[in-house]
């Protein structure tokens, strides 16, 4: 419950208490429960941006389970490891991990609804990783396989997940028609998630992130701001903490667009005032990186550029070294090179929602 609502510190406290309680008993059932609790701590670490620690805890949990990798206890952890690879930008590796799950499940009972759900999740994940690489044909094929897998159990959440990935595939196109189709899919996904009340806020805020980024791609400032405000409303009204970070990330990306000085100044001050509300260090890095890149366009303000660069370097205290290096390369070094060659930053990518 706490994890779904974005209360990561309380989630860690709950899983840590469960781990200590189960570890005190050496019976087989409690050992498995302790292992699952440890793995769930790893999942929370991933959401906190601690990818190395999360990977270590989840990998250790899988090793302790010592199964064939296809049990209902193991599969969620394997899927999380695939998404972890994607957050690092290792999309080939993420895709291989997801397809590996699909292949392993093919030799088991295809009629088992639980295993079919995991197969569906792995296929949808692989499709997202293909979208992140711009491979629309591969993403479409994987999306179609996921739809066939879910044909006997087309629940609203499955429908929503299919709509999201379909929207992202349409969003790879550059035409106005693709843009409209993508937004229609995102709106349909939103309606499916909303049919569950506020229990699926993770789905709703990811739709807002993907839709907001699509608006930025098509230079629709008003649309992007609408999605950013939607995220901030989730954070304020429903106490869903990750949504605040997502809203500020979208706002910071708008700073990289060539727009009127007045709206840019307002956005810059708004993002700057709200940095304290970002709890995920990976998202915080990206927002500060966007502030830094934006400062290049504020001619004559070298002190501001130096200040934001110092903030970026300080993020080494909150990210593992490999994550920091990868993020610096993708969200600082490459955009600066692009600006040097093309004269503008364009927009930094949102390959997967953090």
């Amino acid at each position: 419950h706490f994890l779904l609502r974005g209360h990561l510190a309380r989630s860690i406290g709950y899983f840590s208490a469960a781990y200590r309680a189960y570890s005190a008993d050496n019976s087989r059932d409690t050992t498995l429960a302790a292992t699952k609790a440890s793995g769930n701590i790893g999942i929370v670490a991933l959401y906190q941006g601690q990818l190395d620690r999360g990977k270590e805890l989840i990998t250790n949990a899988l090793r302790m389970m010592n199964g064939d990798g296809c049990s209902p206890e193991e599969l969620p952890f394997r899927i999380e490891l695939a998404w972890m690879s994607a957050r690092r930008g290792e999309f080939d590796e993420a895709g291989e991990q997801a397809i590996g799950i699909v292949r392993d499940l093919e030799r088991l009972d295809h009629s088992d609804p639980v295993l079919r759900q995991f197969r569906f999740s792995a296929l949808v994940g692989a499709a997202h990783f293909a979208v992140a690489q711009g491979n629309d044909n591969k993403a479409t094929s994987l999306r179609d396989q996921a739809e066939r897998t879910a044909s006997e159990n087309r629940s609203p959440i499955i429908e929503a997940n299919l709509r999201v990935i379909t929207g992202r595939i349409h969003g790879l196109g550059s035409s106005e028609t693709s843009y409209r189709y993508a937004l229609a899919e995102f709106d349909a996904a939103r309606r499916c998630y909303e049919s569950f009340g506020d229990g699926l806020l993770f789905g709703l805020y990811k739709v807002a992130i993907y839709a907001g980024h699509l608006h930025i791609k098509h230079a629709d400032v008003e649309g992007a701001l609408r999605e950013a405000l939607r995220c901030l409303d989730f954070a304020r009204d429903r106490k869903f903490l990750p949504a605040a970070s997502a809203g500020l990330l979208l706002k910071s990306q708008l700073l990289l667009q060539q727009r009127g000085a007045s709206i840019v100044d307002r956005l810059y001050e708004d993002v700057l005032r709200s940095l304290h509300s970002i709890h995920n260090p990976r998202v915080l890095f990206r927002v500060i990186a966007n502030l830094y890149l934006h400062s290049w366009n504020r001619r004559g303000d070298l002190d501001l550029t130096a200040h934001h660069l110092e903030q970026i370097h300080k993020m080494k205290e909150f990210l593992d070294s490999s994550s920091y290096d990868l993020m610096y390369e993708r969200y600082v070094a490459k955009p600066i090179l692009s600006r040097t060659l093309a004269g503008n930053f364009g927009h930094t990518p949102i390959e997967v929602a953090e």
Side-chain angles (χ1 to χ4, degrees), residues 17-316:
Y19 176 75
R20 289 192 298 271
Y22 289 131
S23 297
D25 186 337
N26 291 325
S27 71
R28 186 180 185 280
D29 287 344
T30 53
T31 298
L32 175 61
T35 301
K36 288 170 63 177
S38 177
N40 282 318
I41 293 172
I43 290 176
V44 178
L46 296 183
Y47 285 114
Q48 290 178 318
Q50 301 173 26
L51 300 191
D52 281 353
R53 181 169 182 264
K55 180 179 180 180
E56 180 183 2
L57 287 167
I58 293 173
T59 302
N60 286 342
L62 286 169
R63 187 162 50 245
M64 290 285 289
M65 290 177 184
N66 196 29
D68 61 1
C70 293
S71 70
E73 290 78 22
E74 295 167 289
L75 287 166
F77 294 132
R78 292 182 65 188
I79 290 172
E80 286 293 342
L81 287 178
W83 279 97
M84 186 217 71
S85 297
R87 291 186 184 102
R88 284 191 184 279
E90 299 166 350
F91 299 112
D92 285 333
E93 174 68 17
E96 289 173 6
Q97 289 172 301
I99 295 303
I101 294 170
V102 174
R103 291 199 187 102
D104 288 346
L105 289 174
E106 284 176 352
R107 57 186 170 80
L108 301 178
D109 183 3
H110 289 196
S111 64
D112 186 322
V114 175
L115 297 183
R116 288 177 69 87
Q117 176 61 50
F118 283 121
R119 186 176 192 275
F120 172 83
S121 297
L123 285 165
V124 169
H128 278 284
F129 309 149
V131 167
Q133 295 176 298
N135 192 334
D136 58 340
N137 290 331
K138 183 177 181 180
T140 299
S141 174
L142 290 163
R143 185 257 178 219
D144 291 346
Q145 291 180 60
E147 184 171 28
R148 288 194 295 273
T149 298
S151 60
E152 297 178 7
N153 180 30
R154 197 66 173 260
S155 66
I157 189 169
I158 285 177
E159 180 70 24
N161 290 336
L162 286 171
R163 293 283 192 170
V164 171
I165 186 57
T166 303
R168 294 200 71 200
I169 293 169
H170 283 306
L172 290 174
S174 57
S175 70
E176 187 68 21
T177 300
S178 296
Y179 180 35
R180 288 199 303 271
Y181 281 154
L183 292 178
E185 293 292 337
F186 289 147
D187 285 341
R190 215 185 312 259
R191 289 192 294 272
C192 291
Y193 286 131
E194 286 172 345
S195 70
F196 286 86
D198 73 350
L200 290 175
L201 286 175
F202 261 116
L204 286 169
Y205 104 95
K206 286 181 180 179
V207 171
I209 293 172
Y210 293 138
H213 184 249
L214 185 63
H215 287 307
I216 291 172
K217 176 182 175 180
H218 287 266
D220 182 352
V221 174
E222 290 75 14
L225 279 174
R226 198 162 51 243
E227 297 299 339
L229 292 174
R230 195 190 302 269
C231 288
L232 295 173
D233 285 345
F234 288 153
R236 183 187 65 246
D237 300 338
R238 307 195 198 182
K239 312 303 180 188
F240 185 63
L241 303 183
S245 303
L248 289 171
L249 176 57
L250 285 174
K251 283 188 173 184
S252 72
Q253 286 192 288
L254 283 169
L255 293 173
L256 305 185
Q257 309 300 300
Q258 300 297 324
R259 295 289 177 267
S262 59
I263 187 172
V264 166
D265 285 343
R266 287 198 302 273
L267 281 172
Y268 177 78
E269 294 299 331
D270 186 26
V271 172
L272 204 59
R273 281 196 306 270
S274 305
L275 285 178
H276 67 279
S277 68
I278 302 177
H279 299 277
N280 184 325
R282 292 176 59 82
V283 178
L284 181 59
F285 181 101
R286 296 193 58 177
V287 172
I288 293 173
N290 285 340
L291 293 175
Y292 169 69
L293 297 175
H294 166 69
S295 72
W296 280 52
N297 293 328
R298 299 170 76 98
R299 292 187 177 90
D301 206 341
L302 297 180
D303 288 343
L304 187 65
T305 302
H307 170 66
H308 290 316
L309 184 59
E310 183 180 347
Q311 287 180 309
I312 290 173
H313 291 324
K314 190 173 179 60
M315 291 304 299
K316 290 180 181 179

